[in-house]
Amino acid sequence: MNQFAYLRPVMVAVAFCCHLILALNVQADPVIVDHRHTNITRLPQTAIEAAKANLHIAYGHTSHGSQLTTGMTGLVAFANGGGLELTLPTDIFAWNNGGSGGALDLHDYAMGGDVGYYPQWVDNTRSYLGANSDVNVIIWSWCGQVDDKYAAGTLESEYLTPMAQLEADYPDVTFVYMTGHVDIWDDADNKAANQMIRDYCNANDKVLYDFADIEHYDPDGTYFEYVNDDCGYYDGPGGTLLGNWATEWQNSHTEDVDWYSCGSAHSQPLNANRKAYAAWWLWAVLGGWDDGSAGDSDVSDDSDSSDDSDASDDSDASDDSDASDDSDASDESDSSDDSSSSDSGSGGCFLDSLR
């Protein structure tokens, strides 16, 4: 017997930890998750399981940002029922605060307010990380302030620069940048603000969840240039309403087969479905999965390019392994599915996280 054989388990554990640290904190290219990453059937079971094993996520948001987590809650039952012909283990998409029962550890409403409230969001982040040393992913969403900050010239000083400083101060934590929701009534500033965030993330190898980009495309890849947060599309900025891409797609497809009903603040269920698919793609990549799209960041609100790629991976969503997940369904107390389409329209954001 090799005299160093007893060291092998230790060496394997060290190698795994090093790989995870590199996956979470060092990327040679930007990580951009957008409408091209909404094909949930492309996620391998192993990538989902790795995300649940490796990530401890804290999410700060108000009403618009809840689309990710209400979508994630609805996804559990949808996948369990074989929606989109998924054949994954029961409750594989379960999540809760703490990761109990094998679920993804995601603390919803972890930090009060949203990223539009400066300097509170920075102070709240630091306070939270000071009390939760296990957290290795921080993600904040916007409400309706991104275009106002761009117009006022404060988007860099009140968002990009503070995020970069947090990254420097907490090198073991991955900070996820995010674009703001679309706004047809301030279309030019909104698009310019979101593009400024994209350009910064691309130039500086950041991690970006492109909330706005997802809202410009239906599941077939059809691009809508002038669109509002409720998925209504128009003939121009603040112009005539022509239709609603989400409700039109829902009406032409089968509920619980092609899409599922769930809470979707200010918007439609399909929008929250796609936000959830993209969120899980992000978790999988942060958990160490190579989706083959590193550096593929050529996405802009202004282009009318079609959805020519789902940044697909060759592997099937149904992994060959029969690893089971004995977790309970996602923590309803963290993310309640209270409506199928709540408060449709661009109204004000709710400070529902200040509790």
Side-chain angles (χ1 to χ4, degrees):
M1 178 178 176
N2 189 307
Q3 61 179 322
F4 298 109
Y6 70 95
L7 290 175
R8 287 175 183 167
V10 176
M11 295 169 67
V12 170
V14 169
F16 175 79
C17 290
C18 289
H19 171 76
L20 177 57
I21 290 170
L22 288 171
L24 285 171
N25 297 293
V26 179
Q27 62 261 350
D29 296 292
V31 174
I32 309 296
V33 172
D34 52 42
H35 78 278
R36 299 168 299 173
H37 309 93
T38 53
N39 186 347
I40 195 73
T41 68
R42 291 291 186 177
L43 286 184
Q45 180 182 331
T46 51
I48 300 167
E49 299 288 5
K52 294 194 294 182
N54 298 331
L55 302 184
H56 304 280
I57 306 162
Y59 184 26
H61 64 89
T62 49
S63 57
H64 279 87
S66 68
Q67 292 171 11
L68 275 71
T69 45
T70 55
M72 287 174 62
T73 295
L75 176 58
V76 178
F78 180 65
N80 287 351
L84 295 177
E85 300 184 350
L86 290 167
T87 57
L88 294 162
T90 300
D91 293 341
I92 192 169
F93 292 112
W95 64 275
N96 58 53
N97 179 16
S100 62
L104 176 72
D105 181 9
L106 190 159
H107 187 180
D108 197 22
Y109 296 110
M111 302 155 292
D114 59 53
V115 79
Y117 294 93
Y118 177 85
Q120 292 91 333
W121 75 268
V122 178
D123 296 337
N124 290 346
T125 301
R126 292 185 180 279
S127 295
Y128 185 84
L129 287 174
N132 297 272
S133 59
D134 64 317
V135 169
N136 55 16
V137 178
I138 292 285
I139 178 170
W140 280 96
S141 76
W142 293 90
C143 191
Q145 313 98 323
V146 68
D147 41 352
D148 294 334
K149 289 188 182 295
Y150 175 82
T154 59
L155 183 57
E156 181 175 1
S157 63
E158 297 186 0
Y159 180 54
L160 299 177
T161 299
M163 279 284 275
Q165 188 60 56
L166 286 168
E167 290 174 308
D169 293 345
Y170 300 92
D172 295 330
V173 178
T174 296
F175 290 84
V176 179
Y177 291 70
M178 193 179 292
T179 52
H181 69 76
V182 296
D183 185 354
I184 193 64
W185 311 114
D186 195 9
D187 188 73
D189 283 342
N190 181 268
K191 285 178 176 173
N194 288 327
Q195 194 59 44
M196 180 176 175
I197 295 171
R198 292 188 194 101
D199 291 345
Y200 177 83
C201 291
N202 286 326
N204 295 280
D205 295 335
K206 304 299 186 182
V207 178
L208 174 67
Y209 180 94
D210 201 338
F211 195 99
D213 178 74
I214 295 169
E215 297 181 328
H216 278 276
Y217 293 83
D218 72 10
D220 297 326
T222 304
Y223 174 79
F224 298 88
E225 182 176 1
Y226 301 110
V227 63
N228 207 23
D229 58 352
D230 66 345
C231 304
Y233 57 91
Y234 295 71
D235 62 357
T240 300
L241 177 65
L242 301 177
N244 186 294
W245 65 257
T247 57
E248 290 168 6
W249 201 93
Q250 289 170 186
N251 291 339
S252 63
H253 291 78
T254 305
E255 184 175 353
D256 295 327
V257 174
D258 303 310
W259 64 279
Y260 56 93
S261 180
C262 64
S264 185
H266 307 286
S267 198
Q268 314 303 326
L270 183 61
N271 190 12
N273 292 184
R274 289 169 61 73
K275 297 285 174 56
Y277 301 156
W280 269 106
W281 195 289
L282 173 64
W283 312 144
V285 171
L286 294 184
W289 177 50
D290 181 3
D291 67 350
S293 65
D296 183 15
S297 54
D298 185 19
V299 172
S300 165
D301 272 358
D302 300 317
S303 71
D304 63 356
S305 60
S306 61
D307 184 10
D308 56 309
S309 162
D310 280 315
S312 61
D313 188 276
D314 290 336
S315 54
D316 273 349
S318 52
D319 193 276
D320 291 339
S321 66
D322 62 357
S324 61
D325 186 312
D326 59 359
S327 62
D328 292 327
S330 61
D331 189 353
E332 296 296 331
S333 66
D334 278 349
S335 176
S336 58
D337 180 7
D338 54 3
S339 70
S340 62
S341 178
S342 59
D343 192 37
S344 178
S346 61
C349 289
F350 310 132
L351 288 177
D352 48 5
S353 62
L354 300 180
R355 60 189 185 190

